[in-house]
Amino acid sequence: MTLAPAPLGGSRWHTFPEHGTLTARRFATTAEPLLQGVIDAGALGPADLPVLDEQIHATLALGTRETALPLTPGPDSPRATRELAVQARAIGREIAAWSTAALRRLLTDPVPLPAGPLVVRSHCYGHLLTPAAADLLLRHRGGPVTMQLYNEWLHQMVLLRDALLPFTNWQDVPVLIGPTGLRHTEDGRDTFLTELLVRQIRHSGIVAHARRTLTGTAGPAGYGFDHDGGTVLPAVLDSPPATAPRYLLTWRPDPAVRHTATYLPDPADYDAAPRTPSTSCRRTPPPPRPVPSPDASPRDRSTTAYAPPASR
């Protein structure tokens, strides 16, 4: 028997299953009741859209005062850092665009909350607000309830962006969703961002973060993994090596995959793998040049003889 989802409202602000997967777009859509709670609690109207729109763009951008990811790579930064920064900008812009469209729709066509106004206790995660958003949500017409609802929604969007950073085809990735959205990814996100921001991130760190996003658990250090319904491997495996990202991964759907397994390098210790000394490598001599036959005609000689080497 299939149980009907509990009605939205009260302490139930989401419809996420305890164990399930959603794409990024679907997750953003199912989190919209939080935005509706913000609008209802703060009595917001269409004139307030620019303030909230500016806030989400500033939070998901790089290089702003309100950014949730203080990553500003330069031309001399490690390639992995530059690739992840490109991902952060692209994913952040797309999620912000979805949020703007959702706000515009909810301000004129509200989502019904049958169980009454939403009640959420959300911790402060340190996301800075623009001065206009702080005035709107805390002082002008808002208050503690409005602020906590918005804080929870904003934090979920940040977690969504950061969870998808390793994937080239991030919109197709089946993200694991828990009973409280993406809060279960917080510890793994902290580990991933610490390595990204403090030191030169390793490929194994990117794979580990991707694995926690899809499976919710850690695993052996490898260069890829299988999970129910697909495989995650480096993007360069099926893309032109000259243009493919070197450190990013690609999710490849495969209905035949039923279990989680890790792809490990053949040698257990890469540094101890046998090597061929460069001094023992010899160039293969070029094949001999064809020599024209003495009895060949002038026409034949002109087609087979080589020009003498240029003097230097």
Side-chain angles (χ1 to χ4, degrees):
M1 181 177 70
T2 302
L3 298 177
L8 295 176
S11 62
R12 184 175 178 81
W13 58 268
H14 55 65
T15 57
F16 303 141
E18 294 225 357
H19 299 285
T21 56
L22 296 174
T23 62
R25 184 61 185 266
R26 181 61 183 164
F27 177 82
T29 300
T30 52
E32 287 181 4
L34 279 170
L35 283 178
Q36 188 64 64
V38 173
I39 294 170
D40 295 345
L44 304 183
D48 301 312
L49 175 61
V51 174
L52 299 179
D53 181 49
E54 179 190 17
Q55 176 62 58
I56 184 61
H57 278 83
T59 299
L60 295 180
L62 301 184
T64 63
R65 185 185 74 94
E66 296 81 12
T67 183
L69 181 59
L71 181 64
T72 53
D76 297 327
S77 299
R79 179 165 178 170
T81 303
R82 288 184 276 119
E83 290 183 357
L84 290 169
V86 171
Q87 285 286 98
R89 292 189 184 97
I91 300 174
R93 282 195 298 265
E94 191 71 12
I95 294 177
W98 297 344
S99 303
T100 301
L103 280 166
R104 184 177 290 110
R105 185 179 68 256
L106 295 176
L107 285 166
T108 57
D109 187 16
V111 173
L113 303 175
L118 290 175
V119 178
V120 172
R121 299 287 183 183
S122 179
H123 301 291
C124 178
Y125 296 99
H127 301 308
L128 292 177
L129 299 181
T130 64
D135 183 68
L136 177 67
L137 298 173
L138 286 172
R139 292 183 291 272
H140 186 48
R141 277 167 291 157
V145 175
T146 306
M147 186 63 246
Q148 289 188 37
L149 287 167
Y150 186 79
N151 180 75
E152 181 65 30
W153 173 81
L154 186 64
H155 188 56
Q156 293 286 341
M157 295 303 103
V158 170
L159 293 177
L160 177 63
R161 189 271 312 272
D162 294 345
L164 295 168
L165 290 179
F167 302 98
T168 56
N169 55 340
W170 59 271
Q171 294 200 41
D172 302 325
V173 173
V175 181
L176 179 64
I177 306 302
T180 55
L182 286 169
R183 285 198 200 179
H184 66 89
T185 66
E186 289 173 334
D187 291 342
R189 172 181 178 266
D190 290 345
T191 301
F192 172 70
L193 293 186
T194 298
E195 187 173 355
L196 174 62
L197 299 174
V198 175
R199 53 173 292 179
Q200 183 172 339
I201 192 166
R202 300 161 296 176
H203 179 73
S204 59
I206 297 175
V207 175
H209 182 58
R211 184 186 180 111
R212 284 189 293 264
T213 296
L214 268 63
T215 70
T217 59
Y223 60 87
F225 60 93
D226 285 344
H227 187 56
D228 294 344
T231 299
V232 175
L233 287 170
V236 73
L237 292 182
D238 55 4
S239 302
T243 58
R246 185 178 299 175
Y247 290 89
L248 301 184
L249 310 171
T250 297
W251 159 259
R252 299 168 177 85
D254 185 354
V257 175
R258 301 291 184 182
H259 305 286
T260 302
T262 302
Y263 288 91
L264 302 174
D266 187 41
D269 184 357
Y270 176 80
D271 293 329
R275 287 169 169 76
T276 302
S278 60
T279 54
S280 65
C281 298
R282 298 171 181 257
R283 284 189 62 187
T284 303
R289 294 181 176 183
V291 178
S293 173
D295 57 350
S297 64
R299 179 180 179 85
D300 293 335
R301 285 198 298 271
S302 65
T303 60
T304 57
Y306 284 81
S311 60
R312 177 172 299 177

